[in-house]
Amino acid sequence: MDRQPEVRYHRLRPQQIVERRSQCPVAYIPIGTIEWHGVHNPTGTDTLQAEEIAVRCAQIGGGLAFPPLWYGENRSETLMDATAADRSEIAREMGLDPDNFLPERMPFSVMDQTLNYSRLLIHILAEVESLGFRVGVLVAGHYPLVDHARAAALLFNKRARTRQDGMLAWAFSDYLLVGDLYECAGDHAGGWETSHMMAIAPETVDLGLLAPKGEPLVGCMGKMPPQDANAAFGRETLEKACERAVQEAMHRLKHRQAYLGHGTCMQEGLWRKQNEE
């Protein structure tokens, strides 16, 4: 079995970075969170998926994968621990007081948390740009973060610098790229995400902790039951998502002018139209 090249920016020496960046100046930046993902998955499921996708994209398409961002997102909205209907049960399983996640327990308001995270993402994109990259891709493992990532990318791309000769930003989540291929694409701790984790880090998953199919599960949702998860399906869907993500990134690298118009930088599928012509 061929050994995959090391593509993680933080594990490479300067000359190795220069060589890979010269061949393909695309940076993949995984973002995620720490959140309940059922009794059977690790709490880092979202970020671990994003990191794996970033690494795979860099391996198959070129470029480099940056260290994942685990922290800083809004802790009062779109978080299972804070907003799920069964959040009290989640807290009980974690040995926590559910009130720990109330907005008033946070040092910043709900909107300030969102704005602070958006600023952080824009700052990260600027940092990546300063390191010589032409395309910066935010890979959102926690699905709600794709909206924050897209907003940050849109604002980053509005700068005169981007429109002149700066880095072009884009953002995606895996399930959005392959929703036409899989009816069960995207879930929370269901068969989709659990299959991914069984492919990425099988030692972190324990299906034996799940109740029998058909019985209620705490903090799990999706069309595919987690009891049906398997590593082969996880590998297949990760591969398909990465293939399409690389197509998107490479098209932006080669045809940046197509993404510089007002409201056009988040367009997807232009590479497919070109292939059909």
Side-chain angles (χ1 to χ4, degrees), residues 6-12 17 20 24 26-30 50-59 62-68 128 133 137 139:
E6 178 59 78
V7 299
R8 291 170 291 180
Y9 191 95
H10 54 295
R11 292 181 65 89
L12 293 174
I17 290 171
R20 287 199 64 87
C24 182
V26 175
Y28 295 94
I29 309 147
E51 182 179 26
E52 178 72 12
I53 290 168
V55 169
R56 286 184 180 223
C57 285
Q59 287 173 338
L64 289 148
F66 273 68
V128 171
F133 291 88
V137 181
V139 185

Side-chain angles (χ1 to χ4, degrees), residues 197-245:
M197 289 311 303
M198 293 176 73
I200 295 168
E203 72 280 4
T204 68
V205 181
D206 188 350
L207 298 183
L209 297 175
L210 289 166
K213 271 202 299 187
E215 294 187 14
L217 298 174
V218 176
C220 297
M221 58 191 74
K223 292 184 177 180
M224 181 180 178
Q227 295 92 337
D228 293 340
N230 62 88
F233 183 66
R235 287 190 292 270
E236 176 189 325
T237 54
L238 286 168
E239 181 180 337
K240 292 294 185 183
C242 290
E243 285 177 0
R244 290 190 170 181

Side-chain angles (χ1 to χ4, degrees), residues 3 30 35 40 74 77 115 125 134 138 156-157 161 190 200 206 225 230-231 239 250 272 277:
R3 184 178 180 182
E35 180 189 36
H40 59 297
N74 191 320
E77 291 188 335
L115 294 176
L125 289 170
R134 301 287 292 155
L138 292 167
F156 186 83
N157 290 341
R161 175 168 174 75
I200 295 168
D206 188 350
N230 62 88
E239 181 180 337
M250 292 303 104
R272 186 181 290 110
E277 293 175 354

Side-chain angles (χ1 to χ4, degrees), residues 180-194:
D180 61 318
L181 299 177
Y182 302 97
E183 186 179 354
C184 63
D187 62 25
H188 184 84
W192 181 267
E193 286 197 311
T194 302

